[in-house]
Amino acid sequence: MDFIKKYWPFSFNTEDVKQLVIKAIIYVVIDIVLGTLIGLLARVDIVILSAIFTILGSLLGLYVTAGLVFLFLSYFKVLKD
């Protein structure tokens, strides 16, 4: 559990629905903004840079998805502290 809290600290300590919604919106906004930026950078004509930015975009999507899952699991007390 310490590993999860170390890399996704924002997903824990949610006390009410308002905080849950705000944190979920922040995750989605970060994903949209950085995903768009990385998507634009992935269109570079240099093949190696394009591949690196494509991989970074995929990892960002996985990180945000895992963060949202941990956020909801933590809120509904499925994860033990």
Side-chain angles (χ1 to χ4, degrees):
M1 188 56 128
D2 291 332
F3 175 79
I4 294 173
K5 285 186 177 182
K6 180 180 176 184
Y7 290 104
W8 287 276
F10 190 68
S11 296
F12 296 93
N13 301 329
T14 304
E15 298 171 1
D16 58 357
V17 176
K18 181 179 176 184
Q19 287 182 347
L20 177 73
V21 171
I22 290 171
K23 287 182 178 185
I25 289 172
I26 289 172
Y27 266 123
V28 170
V29 168
I30 288 172
D31 189 33
I32 290 171
V33 170
L34 290 179
T36 303
L37 179 66
I38 290 173
L40 291 173
L41 292 172
R43 298 182 127 196
V44 176
D45 289 335
I46 302 170
V47 177
I48 294 173
L49 285 178
S50 177
I52 290 172
F53 285 123
T54 301
I55 291 170
L56 282 176
S58 299
L59 290 175
L60 174 72
L62 287 173
Y63 180 84
V64 169
T65 302
L68 284 170
V69 168
F70 293 143
L71 176 67
F72 285 106
L73 290 178
S74 173
Y75 177 75
F76 291 117
K77 306 291 188 228
V78 175
L79 295 176
K80 304 290 182 200
D81 288 335

